[in-house]
Amino acid sequence: MLSVTNLTIQFKTPNGLFDAVKGINFNLAKGETIGVVGESGSGKSVTSLALMRLLDKSNSVVNGQVTLGGINLFELPEDEMRAIRGNKMAMIFQEPMTSLNPVLTCGFQVTEAIQLHLGSTKAKAKAQTIKLFEEVQLPRPEAIFDSYPHQLSGGQKQRVLIAMALSCNPEILIADEPTTALDVTVQKTIIDLLKKLKAERGMSLIFISHDLGVVSEIADRVLVMYKGKVVEDAQVKTLFKNPQHPYTKGLLACRPSVKYHLKKLPVIADFMSGSATIEQIRDKYTYPKKEITERKKKLYSQQPLLKINDLSTWFPVSSGIFGQSKNMVKAVNKVSFDVYPGETLGLVGESGCGKTTLGRSVLRLIEPTSGNINFEDTDLRSLNKNDMRRMRRDIQIIFQDPYSSLNPRLTVGESIMEPLQVHNFYDNDTQRKKKVLELLQRVNLLPEHFNRYPHEFSGGQRQRIVIARALALQPKFIICDESVSALDVSVQAQVLNLIRELQQEFNLTYIFISHDLSVIKHISDRMMVMNKGQIVEIGDPDEIYYHPKEEYTKRLINSIAEI
């Protein structure tokens, strides 16, 4: 159906042309699903944008040939290409919140595409949109038709984009990272939905992802991209059974696996410099069971660092005539647990289960409704504002989105130095700057990064910056809130390794929050499963994984895309 021949993409920069894609070739057959995998910057997304002719001509140079049904798309006038977009080829863009117009209803955005491409009446387009919403299994399709994007969850927004892409019955669907940062259960639902729609409609699918585990569940064939080139092209079973390129081996190995106990996760660099197999590298990093047993025995012979007893955080959702709350959302409802010095306590659950609210309630960034928070025998709920601020020297948080938690107007150095100034650490800014440079180096960043701004860094680098800021006050306890959820699996492995190294170096205690059970199982000494504001299981990660008691936990486990 689609043939790509010698596709090259260059971007104009102040230093000349940058080669983003370097002469790639592939064919897509009718009804086939090709998975395209690689890290950020490998050329995956720009390739898909080039196929749709959506790259800005003012700053890009695209050469090669893309033929659809014998027609070279690069030679078509823009009006003819516009007719092909949507009708013949459609795309699900990477980030649903930024791909949907925030001031237009979801229904309008889909009906607009139908009216534009198919010439349907407004009433007919609305009926078709609601039918599409039903097809992509959105709840209450009529209500979502009139809803704005901010009123929907991440998974629901993704379904709206899928409905929009399917609205004109395309022959080829390009899905660019459609499951990134979604809960594992929502991710599995989206993959199953795409497989179902593809089979029913007889479409071909190009599925782009940085996660080989996800690709293994949907693709027939896989293209592995590295620095703008296709380094491996193979049937999915062949690729996973016998990867040939060192980069492919690295991508497969660096994903946290529930089957192994590793002291550290393999990274791409472990494979690029030699001919080591995945098994050899995993054997090198295996955590001996004796060491795990000894570590846990030592951990749990201590007095708890943090004691949480019957903690509740409720939010009002509606008001009566006199402003009195009618209903309460019990985001956290009578939760109790202890955290021991030097421990990593994993907290796992879907979006909306109360994980983040619990983390922020422990630090009193959200005021709890009731219950006790006891840190080193200090009742945090009894402290006034000034005393609580002083206590935050010892208890820190790494927020979910590093970009939005950094001030865009401050340099990275200023952001890390700010808590040192607020809490009067060191005598002057010269000494504080010296400490910041040490912290940057410790999280594998460079001294010259001190004077750069957050927008000048990649996602993985920004995550390291907020880790450095959390370490600045030499805390005893850190809450890591979804701190690796939106990262490439290769960068995720590096950050998880760093978090574990820092724990050993600075004797840190963590509550590590994630929706990904495989990440939690890898990094945690104990694991808590949260659902609807309550802890439904707590205990040894292996015990919970192999012998789950709750149906909810079983669903989380079954959603893991395991290679």
Side-chain angles (χ1 to χ4, degrees):
M1 287 192 73
L2 185 75
S3 181
V4 178
T5 308
N6 198 27
L7 177 66
T8 63
I9 303 169
Q10 297 172 303
F11 289 105
K12 298 170 187 175
T13 74
N15 300 319
L17 291 173
F18 171 75
D19 296 320
V21 174
K22 306 168 185 176
I24 68 169
N25 302 277
F26 67 90
N27 295 317
L28 177 69
K30 185 174 175 61
E32 183 182 28
T33 298
I34 289 181
V36 183
V37 298
E39 298 170 285
S40 293
S42 62
K44 311 183 302 292
S45 292
V46 292
T47 296
S48 66
L49 291 170
L51 300 184
M52 297 284 287
R53 270 184 48 187
L54 291 173
L55 289 173
D56 185 353
K57 290 182 181 177
S58 66
N59 73 344
S60 64
V61 179
V62 181
N63 288 301
Q65 189 169 299
V66 176
T67 56
L68 176 65
I71 300 167
N72 186 356
L73 301 184
F74 288 175
E75 293 177 354
L76 289 179
E78 181 54 36
D79 58 339
E80 290 184 34
M81 186 63 208
R82 193 179 293 119
I84 282 177
R85 287 191 209 107
N87 286 334
K88 296 281 186 182
M89 294 171 67
M91 188 166 176
I92 304 165
F93 292 97
Q94 187 164 355
E95 174 46 62
M97 192 63 207
T98 54
S99 302
L100 292 167
N101 191 324
V103 300
L104 298 175
T105 64
C106 296
F108 178 85
Q109 295 185 62
V110 180
T111 56
E112 184 183 39
I114 294 170
Q115 288 177 276
L116 185 67
H117 284 282
L118 303 181
S120 301
T121 63
K122 190 175 180 180
K124 193 174 178 182
K126 180 177 180 178
Q128 189 177 339
T129 299
I130 289 172
K131 188 179 176 185
L132 281 165
F133 283 177
E134 289 171 352
E135 193 175 359
V136 298
Q137 297 168 16
L138 276 166
R140 303 172 293 105
E142 290 84 359
I144 285 180
F145 185 93
D146 294 319
S147 299
Y148 290 89
H150 74 272
Q151 296 175 295
L152 308 185
S153 69
Q156 288 172 336
K157 283 193 281 277
Q158 198 62 274
R159 289 163 196 257
V160 170
L161 278 185
I162 294 171
M164 191 185 297
L166 296 175
S167 60
C168 299
N169 300 308
E171 296 171 9
I172 296 171
L173 181 63
I174 301 172
D176 186 9
E177 299 272 14
T179 60
T180 299
L182 294 178
D183 288 351
V184 284
T185 49
V186 179
Q187 176 179 282
K188 182 169 174 43
T189 306
I190 295 292
I191 290 169
D192 290 344
L193 175 63
L194 285 171
K195 286 159 76 173
K196 174 176 171 284
L197 294 170
K198 173 182 166 283
E200 289 173 357
R201 290 168 172 251
M203 294 185 301
S204 300
L205 178 63
I206 297 175
F207 188 93
I208 298 168
S209 179
H210 62 256
D211 191 337
L212 273 163
V214 173
V215 168
S216 70
E217 297 204 339
I218 194 167
D220 303 307
R221 198 167 103 243
V222 183
L223 306 180
V224 181
M225 288 192 73
Y226 177 60
K227 293 185 177 179
K229 293 182 178 179
V230 174
V231 295
E232 195 152 358
D233 178 353
Q235 293 297 310
V236 68
K237 287 182 180 176
T238 304
L239 184 109
F240 287 104
K241 192 174 181 180
N242 188 24
Q244 297 298 306
H245 197 276
Y247 180 70
T248 311
K249 294 177 186 176
L251 281 181
L252 284 165
C254 66
R255 198 173 183 278
S257 173
V258 291
K259 297 175 183 175
Y260 304 95
H261 293 103
L262 302 177
K263 278 189 173 180
K264 63 180 283 189
L265 289 168
V267 294
I268 301 290
D270 289 320
F271 296 89
M272 296 303 287
S273 56
S275 57
T277 65
I278 294 173
E279 289 73 23
Q280 286 170 335
I281 297 295
R282 278 184 174 150
D283 286 346
K284 178 182 171 184
Y285 293 150
T286 293
Y287 206 152
K289 198 162 185 179
K290 186 181 177 183
E291 279 188 39
I292 298 173
T293 305
E294 287 173 359
R295 170 178 166 78
K296 292 192 176 183
K297 188 177 178 182
K298 185 180 176 183
L299 279 177
Y300 303 123
S301 64
Q302 308 171 91
Q303 287 297 311
L305 180 74
L306 177 73
K307 294 181 180 181
I308 304 295
N309 187 41
D310 276 349
L311 189 69
S312 295
T313 305
W314 298 359
F315 299 111
V317 290
S318 61
S319 297
I321 299 170
F322 301 106
Q324 294 179 331
S325 299
K326 282 184 180 178
N327 300 308
M328 303 293 284
V329 171
K330 298 179 181 180
V332 177
N333 192 23
K334 294 190 175 180
V335 166
S336 299
F337 60 90
D338 296 337
V339 187
Y340 292 82
E343 180 185 28
T344 299
L345 179 62
L347 177 58
V348 68
E350 297 172 293
S351 291
C353 72
K355 306 186 302 294
T356 294
T357 302
L358 174 57
R360 295 188 180 202
S361 298
V362 168
L363 301 184
R364 282 186 58 197
L365 296 174
I366 296 172
E367 282 297 339
T369 308
S370 62
N372 299 107
I373 307 165
N374 196 293
F375 180 79
E376 287 192 322
D377 296 325
T378 300
D379 180 5
L380 298 190
R381 292 201 67 211
S382 69
L383 299 181
N384 62 34
K385 195 173 182 180
N386 289 332
D387 289 340
M388 190 62 213
R389 185 182 289 119
R390 281 191 287 273
M391 183 59 74
R392 290 207 175 100
R393 296 177 184 179
D394 290 332
I395 53 176
Q396 288 286 306
I397 185 168
I398 300 167
F399 291 101
Q400 188 165 352
D401 180 359
Y403 191 60
S404 63
S405 67
L406 290 167
N407 188 329
R409 292 185 177 88
L410 295 182
T411 65
V412 160
E414 289 168 337
S415 288
I416 300 172
M417 194 189 292
E418 188 178 36
L420 296 174
Q421 293 166 331
V422 169
H423 290 277
N424 294 316
F425 270 55
Y426 307 105
D427 295 329
N428 52 54
D429 280 351
T430 303
Q431 292 178 357
R432 291 179 190 117
K433 182 175 180 179
K434 183 183 176 185
K435 178 62 178 177
V436 172
L437 291 173
E438 287 174 11
L439 287 166
L440 286 173
Q441 188 175 3
R442 184 58 199 86
V443 297
N444 302 322
L445 293 171
L446 302 172
E448 53 263 37
H449 290 153
F450 184 96
N451 293 314
R452 294 186 190 171
Y453 290 88
H455 72 271
E456 298 179 82
F457 294 88
S458 69
Q461 287 173 320
R462 283 196 287 264
Q463 199 61 268
R464 292 170 187 273
I465 291 162
V466 295
I467 290 171
R469 184 177 62 181
L471 290 172
L473 297 175
Q474 299 164 22
K476 299 174 182 176
F477 171 65
I478 299 177
I479 293 177
C480 305
D481 185 10
E482 295 278 13
S483 48
V484 297
S485 63
L487 300 177
D488 287 353
V489 285
S490 53
V491 180
Q492 175 181 275
Q494 294 168 21
V495 173
L496 287 172
N497 289 342
L498 175 64
I499 285 170
R500 188 170 265 179
E501 286 168 20
L502 294 171
Q503 181 176 48
Q504 293 167 355
E505 190 173 331
F506 298 107
N507 194 29
L508 296 168
T509 304
Y510 296 131
I511 291 179
F512 194 97
I513 300 170
S514 178
H515 62 253
D516 190 335
L517 199 141
S518 58
V519 168
I520 289 292
K521 186 175 181 299
H522 164 73
I523 202 161
S524 302
D525 297 298
R526 279 188 305 150
M527 181 163 80
M528 294 193 298
V529 182
M530 195 168 186
N531 185 26
K532 295 179 181 177
Q534 295 186 312
I535 304 300
V536 294
E537 295 205 42
I538 183 167
D540 180 81
D542 275 342
E543 183 63 29
I544 289 176
Y545 178 74
Y546 291 108
H547 308 288
K549 295 172 185 172
E550 298 284 326
E551 283 302 317
Y552 176 76
T553 311
K554 291 175 185 175
R555 196 165 82 243
L556 286 177
I557 292 167
N558 291 336
S559 300
I560 297 171
E562 187 60 33
I563 297 171

